[in-house]
mmCIF file of all heavy atoms in Angstrom:
data_model
loop_
_atom_site.group_PDB
_atom_site.id
_atom_site.type_symbol
_atom_site.label_atom_id
_atom_site.label_comp_id
_atom_site.label_asym_id
_atom_site.label_seq_id
_atom_site.Cartn_x
_atom_site.Cartn_y
_atom_site.Cartn_z
ATOM 1 N N ASP A 1379 8.379 18.932 -1.834
ATOM 2 C CA ASP A 1379 8.261 18.970 -3.287
ATOM 3 C C ASP A 1379 7.797 17.621 -3.827
ATOM 4 O O ASP A 1379 8.131 16.561 -3.292
ATOM 5 C CB ASP A 1379 9.618 19.292 -3.923
ATOM 6 C CG ASP A 1379 10.059 20.718 -3.645
ATOM 7 O OD1 ASP A 1379 9.196 21.579 -3.414
ATOM 8 O OD2 ASP A 1379 11.278 20.950 -3.670
ATOM 9 N N TYR A 1383 8.142 10.917 -12.514
ATOM 10 C CA TYR A 1383 9.039 10.086 -13.290
ATOM 11 C C TYR A 1383 8.260 9.346 -14.375
ATOM 12 O O TYR A 1383 7.101 8.973 -14.189
ATOM 13 C CB TYR A 1383 9.742 9.047 -12.398
ATOM 14 C CG TYR A 1383 10.599 9.660 -11.331
ATOM 15 C CD1 TYR A 1383 10.063 10.005 -10.091
ATOM 16 C CD2 TYR A 1383 11.947 9.926 -11.567
ATOM 17 C CE1 TYR A 1383 10.846 10.586 -9.109
ATOM 18 C CE2 TYR A 1383 12.736 10.510 -10.586
ATOM 19 C CZ TYR A 1383 12.172 10.841 -9.361
ATOM 20 O OH TYR A 1383 12.949 11.428 -8.398
ATOM 21 N N GLN A 1385 8.685 5.899 -16.858
ATOM 22 C CA GLN A 1385 9.474 4.678 -17.015
ATOM 23 C C GLN A 1385 8.916 3.808 -18.132
ATOM 24 O O GLN A 1385 7.729 3.495 -18.145
ATOM 25 C CB GLN A 1385 9.492 3.875 -15.709
ATOM 26 C CG GLN A 1385 10.419 2.659 -15.783
ATOM 27 C CD GLN A 1385 10.421 1.821 -14.523
ATOM 28 O OE1 GLN A 1385 9.401 1.712 -13.835
ATOM 29 N NE2 GLN A 1385 11.567 1.223 -14.209
ATOM 30 N N PRO A 1391 13.845 4.613 -14.601
ATOM 31 C CA PRO A 1391 12.958 5.787 -14.676
ATOM 32 C C PRO A 1391 13.719 7.040 -15.086
ATOM 33 O O PRO A 1391 14.940 7.127 -14.924
ATOM 34 C CB PRO A 1391 12.440 5.913 -13.237
ATOM 35 C CG PRO A 1391 12.577 4.549 -12.660
ATOM 36 C CD PRO A 1391 13.838 3.998 -13.283
ATOM 37 N N LEU A 1393 13.468 11.328 -14.703
ATOM 38 C CA LEU A 1393 12.825 12.453 -14.015
ATOM 39 C C LEU A 1393 12.280 13.434 -15.051
ATOM 40 O O LEU A 1393 13.038 13.952 -15.877
ATOM 41 C CB LEU A 1393 13.839 13.139 -13.095
ATOM 42 C CG LEU A 1393 13.352 14.311 -12.254
ATOM 43 C CD1 LEU A 1393 12.250 13.899 -11.279
ATOM 44 C CD2 LEU A 1393 14.528 14.934 -11.499
ATOM 45 N N HIS A 1396 10.297 18.186 -11.587
ATOM 46 C CA HIS A 1396 10.689 18.221 -10.177
ATOM 47 C C HIS A 1396 10.242 19.517 -9.538
ATOM 48 O O HIS A 1396 9.806 20.456 -10.218
ATOM 49 C CB HIS A 1396 12.186 17.958 -10.002
ATOM 50 C CG HIS A 1396 13.079 19.050 -10.516
ATOM 51 N ND1 HIS A 1396 14.418 19.122 -10.163
ATOM 52 C CD2 HIS A 1396 12.869 20.096 -11.326
ATOM 53 C CE1 HIS A 1396 14.961 20.164 -10.740
ATOM 54 N NE2 HIS A 1396 14.057 20.753 -11.462
ATOM 55 N N TYR A 1434 5.245 7.782 -12.271
ATOM 56 C CA TYR A 1434 5.280 7.727 -10.816
ATOM 57 C C TYR A 1434 5.460 9.121 -10.228
ATOM 58 O O TYR A 1434 6.270 9.907 -10.727
ATOM 59 C CB TYR A 1434 6.464 6.882 -10.332
ATOM 60 C CG TYR A 1434 6.392 5.426 -10.697
ATOM 61 C CD1 TYR A 1434 6.936 4.949 -11.886
ATOM 62 C CD2 TYR A 1434 5.801 4.503 -9.837
ATOM 63 C CE1 TYR A 1434 6.872 3.609 -12.224
ATOM 64 C CE2 TYR A 1434 5.741 3.147 -10.158
ATOM 65 C CZ TYR A 1434 6.278 2.722 -11.355
ATOM 66 O OH TYR A 1434 6.226 1.379 -11.670
ATOM 67 N N TRP A 1438 9.086 13.432 -0.423
ATOM 68 C CA TRP A 1438 9.621 13.095 0.891
ATOM 69 C C TRP A 1438 8.479 13.098 1.896
ATOM 70 O O TRP A 1438 7.534 13.875 1.780
ATOM 71 C CB TRP A 1438 10.689 14.104 1.304
ATOM 72 C CG TRP A 1438 11.404 13.730 2.564
ATOM 73 C CD1 TRP A 1438 11.188 14.230 3.821
ATOM 74 C CD2 TRP A 1438 12.446 12.771 2.700
ATOM 75 N NE1 TRP A 1438 12.031 13.631 4.712
ATOM 76 C CE2 TRP A 1438 12.816 12.735 4.051
ATOM 77 C CE3 TRP A 1438 13.106 11.925 1.801
ATOM 78 C CZ2 TRP A 1438 13.816 11.886 4.528
ATOM 79 C CZ3 TRP A 1438 14.108 11.103 2.277
ATOM 80 C CH2 TRP A 1438 14.453 11.087 3.618
ATOM 81 N N ARG A 1443 10.161 9.901 7.528
ATOM 82 C CA ARG A 1443 11.580 10.214 7.306
ATOM 83 C C ARG A 1443 12.121 9.377 6.144
ATOM 84 O O ARG A 1443 13.170 8.732 6.237
ATOM 85 C CB ARG A 1443 12.410 10.004 8.564
ATOM 86 C CG ARG A 1443 12.138 11.027 9.658
ATOM 87 C CD ARG A 1443 13.130 10.894 10.804
ATOM 88 N NE ARG A 1443 14.491 11.208 10.391
ATOM 89 C CZ ARG A 1443 14.983 12.428 10.258
ATOM 90 N NH1 ARG A 1443 14.212 13.473 10.518
ATOM 91 N NH2 ARG A 1443 16.236 12.636 9.894
ATOM 92 N N GLY A 1444 11.355 9.405 5.065
ATOM 93 C CA GLY A 1444 11.780 8.664 3.879
ATOM 94 C C GLY A 1444 11.072 9.176 2.647
ATOM 95 O O GLY A 1444 10.103 9.942 2.734
ATOM 96 N N LEU A 1445 11.562 8.739 1.495
ATOM 97 C CA LEU A 1445 10.950 9.129 0.231
ATOM 98 C C LEU A 1445 9.826 8.149 -0.092
ATOM 99 O O LEU A 1445 10.015 6.935 0.000
ATOM 100 C CB LEU A 1445 11.995 9.108 -0.882
ATOM 101 C CG LEU A 1445 11.537 9.604 -2.249
ATOM 102 C CD1 LEU A 1445 11.303 11.103 -2.218
ATOM 103 C CD2 LEU A 1445 12.571 9.241 -3.322
ATOM 104 N N GLN B 1009 12.970 -2.008 -7.436
ATOM 105 C CA GLN B 1009 11.726 -2.322 -8.125
ATOM 106 C C GLN B 1009 11.612 -3.836 -8.242
ATOM 107 O O GLN B 1009 12.381 -4.460 -8.977
ATOM 108 C CB GLN B 1009 11.681 -1.654 -9.504
ATOM 109 C CG GLN B 1009 10.350 -1.773 -10.210
ATOM 110 C CD GLN B 1009 10.278 -0.877 -11.442
ATOM 111 O OE1 GLN B 1009 11.277 -0.634 -12.119
ATOM 112 N NE2 GLN B 1009 9.101 -0.360 -11.728
ATOM 113 N N GLY B 1014 5.964 -1.534 -8.557
ATOM 114 C CA GLY B 1014 6.362 -0.142 -8.643
ATOM 115 C C GLY B 1014 7.695 0.140 -7.985
ATOM 116 O O GLY B 1014 8.393 -0.766 -7.512
ATOM 117 N N LEU B 1015 8.043 1.412 -7.956
ATOM 118 C CA LEU B 1015 9.311 1.838 -7.380
ATOM 119 C C LEU B 1015 9.201 1.919 -5.867
ATOM 120 O O LEU B 1015 8.183 2.350 -5.327
ATOM 121 C CB LEU B 1015 9.694 3.215 -7.932
ATOM 122 C CG LEU B 1015 9.837 3.307 -9.448
ATOM 123 C CD1 LEU B 1015 10.032 4.763 -9.867
ATOM 124 C CD2 LEU B 1015 10.993 2.453 -9.937
ATOM 125 N N TRP B 1017 11.649 3.320 -2.612
ATOM 126 C CA TRP B 1017 12.869 3.923 -2.086
ATOM 127 C C TRP B 1017 13.439 3.029 -0.991
ATOM 128 O O TRP B 1017 12.691 2.570 -0.118
ATOM 129 C CB TRP B 1017 12.536 5.311 -1.553
ATOM 130 C CG TRP B 1017 13.647 6.037 -0.892
ATOM 131 C CD1 TRP B 1017 14.653 6.726 -1.497
ATOM 132 C CD2 TRP B 1017 13.844 6.205 0.516
ATOM 133 N NE1 TRP B 1017 15.468 7.305 -0.546
ATOM 134 C CE2 TRP B 1017 14.983 7.006 0.703
ATOM 135 C CE3 TRP B 1017 13.163 5.754 1.654
ATOM 136 C CZ2 TRP B 1017 15.465 7.363 1.958
ATOM 137 C CZ3 TRP B 1017 13.636 6.109 2.908
ATOM 138 C CH2 TRP B 1017 14.775 6.904 3.043
ATOM 139 N N ARG B 1020 18.963 6.531 1.684
ATOM 140 C CA ARG B 1020 19.649 7.747 1.226
ATOM 141 C C ARG B 1020 20.938 7.967 2.000
ATOM 142 O O ARG B 1020 20.989 7.736 3.216
ATOM 143 C CB ARG B 1020 18.732 8.936 1.395
ATOM 144 C CG ARG B 1020 19.350 10.309 1.219
ATOM 145 C CD ARG B 1020 18.303 11.378 1.133
ATOM 146 N NE ARG B 1020 17.534 11.236 -0.104
ATOM 147 C CZ ARG B 1020 16.500 12.004 -0.443
ATOM 148 N NH1 ARG B 1020 16.099 12.973 0.360
ATOM 149 N NH2 ARG B 1020 15.852 11.817 -1.574
ATOM 150 N N GLU B 1031 19.394 7.541 5.799
ATOM 151 C CA GLU B 1031 18.015 7.209 6.154
ATOM 152 C C GLU B 1031 17.653 5.928 5.406
ATOM 153 O O GLU B 1031 18.188 5.670 4.325
ATOM 154 C CB GLU B 1031 17.037 8.318 5.724
ATOM 155 C CG GLU B 1031 17.330 9.691 6.275
ATOM 156 C CD GLU B 1031 16.832 9.908 7.691
ATOM 157 O OE1 GLU B 1031 16.290 8.956 8.285
ATOM 158 O OE2 GLU B 1031 16.987 11.042 8.201
ATOM 159 N N TRP B 1073 17.124 17.591 -6.173
ATOM 160 C CA TRP B 1073 15.699 17.967 -6.228
ATOM 161 C C TRP B 1073 14.971 16.957 -7.112
ATOM 162 O O TRP B 1073 14.369 17.280 -8.098
ATOM 163 C CB TRP B 1073 15.514 19.387 -6.775
ATOM 164 C CG TRP B 1073 16.162 20.441 -5.955
ATOM 165 C CD1 TRP B 1073 17.290 21.155 -6.256
ATOM 166 C CD2 TRP B 1073 15.735 20.919 -4.676
ATOM 167 N NE1 TRP B 1073 17.587 22.040 -5.260
ATOM 168 C CE2 TRP B 1073 16.644 21.921 -4.274
ATOM 169 C CE3 TRP B 1073 14.664 20.594 -3.837
ATOM 170 C CZ2 TRP B 1073 16.517 22.595 -3.060
ATOM 171 C CZ3 TRP B 1073 14.547 21.276 -2.631
ATOM 172 C CH2 TRP B 1073 15.457 22.261 -2.267
ATOM 173 N N GLY B 1074 15.045 15.704 -6.700
ATOM 174 C CA GLY B 1074 14.538 14.589 -7.495
ATOM 175 C C GLY B 1074 15.715 13.798 -8.015
ATOM 176 O O GLY B 1074 16.836 14.320 -8.122
ATOM 177 N N SER B 1075 15.485 12.518 -8.344
ATOM 178 C CA SER B 1075 16.575 11.671 -8.839
ATOM 179 C C SER B 1075 16.791 11.961 -10.310
ATOM 180 O O SER B 1075 16.097 11.426 -11.177
ATOM 181 C CB SER B 1075 16.231 10.204 -8.621
ATOM 182 O OG SER B 1075 16.236 9.883 -7.250
ATOM 183 N N TRP B 1078 20.124 8.066 -12.971
ATOM 184 C CA TRP B 1078 19.922 6.694 -12.488
ATOM 185 C C TRP B 1078 20.965 5.791 -13.134
ATOM 186 O O TRP B 1078 21.340 5.988 -14.299
ATOM 187 C CB TRP B 1078 18.531 6.182 -12.882
ATOM 188 C CG TRP B 1078 17.391 6.925 -12.260
ATOM 189 C CD1 TRP B 1078 17.069 8.252 -12.444
ATOM 190 C CD2 TRP B 1078 16.407 6.395 -11.386
ATOM 191 N NE1 TRP B 1078 15.942 8.578 -11.714
ATOM 192 C CE2 TRP B 1078 15.516 7.451 -11.061
ATOM 193 C CE3 TRP B 1078 16.178 5.130 -10.828
ATOM 194 C CZ2 TRP B 1078 14.423 7.275 -10.204
ATOM 195 C CZ3 TRP B 1078 15.090 4.953 -9.982
ATOM 196 C CH2 TRP B 1078 14.219 6.016 -9.678
#
Side-chain angles (χ1 to χ4, degrees):
Chain A
D1379 291 334
Y1383 298 88
Q1385 186 182 33
L1393 182 62
H1396 69 165
Y1434 295 90
W1438 187 259
R1443 290 188 65 80
L1445 185 70
Chain B
Q1009 188 169 33
L1015 301 172
W1017 176 80
R1020 169 168 292 177
E1031 303 279 3
W1073 299 107
S1075 291
W1078 296 63

